[in-house]
Amino acid sequence: CELSDNEQEFVNNWEQLKTHLSAHKPDLLLLPELSFCHWIASEKNVDEAVKIQSVEKHEQWLTRLDELNAKYVVYSRPVIAGEKFLNTAFVYQKGVGHIELHTKCYFPEEPHFWEETWYDAEEGKPFTSLQLDGFKIGALLCTEMWFTQYARLYGKQGVDILVCPRATGAGSVA
């Protein structure tokens, strides 16, 4: 789905998404990359307070995932782990909770996408799949899909569903 990173538009999108999901009842919903706050990596200069606010916004919205009528919701969120600021994908399964899926390790570094400046890679973290109710799922986060060897690696693991939460500027989807 598409969700705005403008706070008021996001609230409207959320309500529209709930209505759509109630009508169609999908098993799996893929949310955009880091969808619960404005895109912080659009700024080149890192701000530690903004990192914390981003984590807090995501934590607030993640408590509302049960509002969405989907058995599984795949999303990514910022995670502070010690000194590292990570972009990590999770699967939320109703009745089970949040299961870590993959931490992004390849970042762009260009106007509006200063991700290498903002985020840390988690060294040695493999591209591993997750077994859920009879199927395997894997994730590539946004620009990682350009590294096709990881899609092949997931294929060799027998992945049934390969998701790619993305952040895409409005100009490229118009």
Side-chain angles (χ1 to χ4, degrees), residues 39 44 80 109 119 122 133:
W39 185 251
K44 186 163 179 132
I80 297 173
E109 188 70 4
Y119 295 96
E122 195 160 39
D133 292 341

Side-chain angles (χ1 to χ4, degrees), residues 122-168:
E122 195 160 39
E123 300 300 322
K125 190 104 179 195
F127 288 79
T128 57
S129 58
L130 179 63
Q131 183 73 45
L132 296 171
D133 292 341
F135 68 93
K136 280 187 177 181
I137 189 169
L140 299 173
L141 285 162
C142 200
T143 52
E144 289 181 331
M145 72 177 155
W146 297 340
F147 299 90
T148 57
Q149 67 268 31
Y150 297 112
R152 285 191 301 277
L153 177 64
Y154 277 129
K156 290 178 182 176
Q157 293 176 40
V159 164
D160 300 295
I161 300 172
L162 181 58
V163 296
C164 187
R166 296 198 53 193
T168 305

Side-chain angles (χ1 to χ4, degrees), residues 63-81:
T63 65
R64 298 180 62 179
L65 289 181
D66 274 333
E67 294 177 16
L68 303 176
N69 194 8
K71 184 174 182 179
Y72 303 100
V73 179
V74 179
Y75 63 92
S76 80
R77 59 173 274 188
V79 173
I80 297 173

Side-chain angles (χ1 to χ4, degrees), residues 2 31 37 39 91 134:
E2 293 179 25
L31 295 176
C37 73
W39 185 251
V91 175

